[in-house]
Amino acid sequence: MKFTAFLSAGSLLEFCAKVLGHALTDRPMQDRDCIRLEKAVKKATVSTTYMPPHQRKYRVVGLTRQGADRLDFDRDGTKITVAQYFMDQYNLPVKFPALPCVRCHPSRNILVPIEFLDVVDGQRKPGKLSGPQTAAVIRRAAMRPADRAGAVREVGASLAQDKFPQGFGMKINPEMLDVEGRILETPSVMCRSGKDVGARLGV
């Protein structure tokens, strides 16, 4: 059984609040916090929430340093802010216009306020884990054999009820495979004098 860290699915706004350790407010974000968030969400896949039921998925390129109320672009020869665009196009007021927007395309100017995006489920965390995150994964992975066997059985039982493999005619046995084991003879150690010494209990 392998262990790895996954991104928390759901609201990107709530995800960013967890990364920073406090709730986000409608104030310009300090550069150090913006850089920290950018490292946490860069290359993550997000989905839009402002066009239900239609959702578009993007891979995060980065974060802007200005908020939706200050970022503007040319629309039919007129300058318009990102906040104004979402109000005019989707009738959605941006509740946190001072927060940075998400850059959703490496070449096209696709900017979306954080509050209108969700983190897609089932994503491995990109980049290197922090010290506390590494420690949390190690604690989760350090399981007693009986607990690990129970976790494997739970996964097996879940897969056995999954309709996806059943659609291919696959049947999954939730029980673990029994295999025969054997105890190897204790090797002897030859000393420099030529005398063989047998180890006992690993010593």
Side-chain angles (χ1 to χ4, degrees), residues 38-178:
E38 191 170 56
K39 289 182 178 179
V41 302
K42 194 171 184 179
K43 297 183 179 180
T45 302
V46 293
S47 61
T48 58
T49 62
Y50 53 85
M51 297 186 299
H54 306 291
Q55 291 183 338
R56 291 183 179 177
K57 292 184 179 180
Y58 297 104
R59 195 175 188 186
V60 176
V61 176
L63 299 180
T64 64
R65 295 301 182 265
Q66 292 180 314
D69 58 348
R70 298 185 63 186
L71 283 168
D72 58 30
F73 59 96
D74 185 80
R75 187 188 190 193
D76 300 328
T78 304
K79 288 288 186 180
I80 184 173
T81 65
V82 173
Q84 290 172 334
Y85 172 80
F86 275 84
M87 187 64 194
D88 295 346
Q89 188 74 13
Y90 304 107
N91 196 29
L92 287 174
V94 179
K95 298 179 181 178
F96 301 90
L99 292 181
C101 293
V102 179
R103 295 187 182 277
C104 296
H105 199 278
S107 58
R108 297 172 59 191
N109 193 31
I110 299 179
L111 305 172
V112 182
I114 290 176
E115 62 196 81
F116 296 145
L117 293 171
D118 280 346
V119 179
V120 175
D121 193 15
Q123 295 184 80
R124 293 181 61 179
K125 184 184 181 304
K128 185 178 180 181
L129 298 179
S130 65
Q133 290 171 335
T134 302
V137 172
I138 292 175
R139 284 196 300 270
R140 182 68 181 86
M143 303 172 65
R144 295 179 180 275
D147 296 334
R148 187 179 297 275
V152 172
R153 289 192 181 94
E154 288 182 8
V155 173
S158 176
L159 291 175
Q161 301 298 323
D162 195 331
K163 294 182 179 180
F164 184 76
Q166 292 177 4
F168 291 91
M170 297 173 59
K171 293 183 179 180
I172 299 176
N173 186 349
E175 293 299 321
M176 298 179 65
L177 181 66
D178 292 329

